[in-house]
Amino acid sequence: LSSIFLIFAVLGLMAYYNRGLLFQGMVDLERDIDDLRNLAELQLAVDQVVMPVNDYLISGDVREMHRFSQIMEEVERRLNPVRGLSGEMAIGKGMREGLSSLKRKAEEIFAIQNSVSNPKEAVLMYELDSIASDIIVNHLGRYYTIERDRIARRVALAESVRKRVDWVLMLGGGFA
């Protein structure tokens, strides 16, 4: 009778341990999903930041400078949670440098007095688009890869825990 109690106690401890792993895995996965959401919102904001500059070149409307500033603030706000990802300081530094370059290039474009049909504008806009593209592809893309790998590890851990829980249930059912 005491050996049966011992077996059930061990099975109970194993079940409790695996339950804790599953719970922590869910918390971590939730955080990873939030990180992915932040990355997607940051990517969208970076993609949108070039539009006011382009619109300024087409229309010459100085209100586009204000719109650019608002979107840049949104990019900075969206970058803050992304900076919190552990172990990716080099990517974050590259993104901040890219955003500084983007801002300088936009200021150079906004400094053009007669922006409509200015031949220099096409070259500057191409350079601005290239900077934004580099931020999205090279920096945000690396963050996406890191997050995708994290999620894959979490899913593998959950599958491993599920298999252990199956064994605990089978063993518990067999002894009962």
Side-chain angles (χ1 to χ4, degrees):
L1 187 63
S2 64
S3 61
I4 292 176
F5 176 74
L6 181 63
I7 290 171
F8 280 117
V10 168
L11 290 174
L13 286 173
M14 288 174 62
Y16 182 77
Y17 172 75
N18 286 313
R19 183 194 155 285
L21 283 177
L22 281 174
F23 177 76
Q24 187 58 49
M26 292 300 292
V27 168
D28 293 342
L29 189 57
E30 208 171 273
R31 188 174 40 240
D32 291 338
I33 290 169
D34 283 344
D35 288 342
L36 277 176
R37 188 177 309 112
N38 286 332
L39 286 172
E41 289 169 353
L42 177 59
Q43 179 178 347
L44 181 61
V46 170
D47 200 34
Q48 290 175 341
V49 80
V50 297
M51 291 311 299
V53 181
N54 189 47
D55 291 348
Y56 173 76
L57 290 174
I58 293 169
S59 69
D61 188 349
V62 294
R63 291 178 294 187
E64 297 298 338
M65 292 179 207
H66 177 66
R67 202 169 123 224
F68 172 81
S69 295
Q70 287 178 318
I71 297 172
M72 274 304 287
E73 287 174 14
E74 177 72 11
V75 168
E76 285 294 326
R77 190 177 68 75
R78 298 260 179 229
L79 183 58
N80 286 331
V82 174
R83 289 179 187 163
L85 296 174
S86 60
E88 295 91 24
M89 296 308 245
I91 300 171
K93 182 179 181 211
M95 282 182 60
R96 284 188 298 280
E97 289 171 357
L99 289 172
S100 292
S101 295
L102 189 137
K103 197 171 186 176
R104 282 192 305 274
K105 187 60 66 178
E107 288 168 353
E108 186 178 343
I109 292 171
F110 285 134
I112 297 172
Q113 295 298 319
N114 224 352
S115 67
V116 181
S117 299
N118 188 320
K120 184 181 174 187
E121 72 187 25
V123 173
L124 292 174
M125 194 63 212
Y126 175 80
E127 291 170 359
L128 183 77
D129 285 338
S130 295
I131 293 167
S133 179
D134 178 65
I135 291 169
I136 291 170
V137 172
N138 293 327
H139 302 296
L140 286 173
R142 287 175 28 206
Y143 269 129
Y144 275 117
T145 300
I146 289 167
E147 280 305 307
R148 186 186 64 233
D149 292 347
R150 269 192 197 134
I151 289 172
R153 284 192 306 273
R154 303 240 193 267
V155 169
L157 175 64
E159 181 61 22
S160 158
V161 170
R162 186 198 59 79
K163 287 177 182 176
R164 285 196 303 261
V165 167
D166 287 348
W167 276 104
V168 168
L169 291 173
M170 284 189 294
L171 288 172
F175 284 111

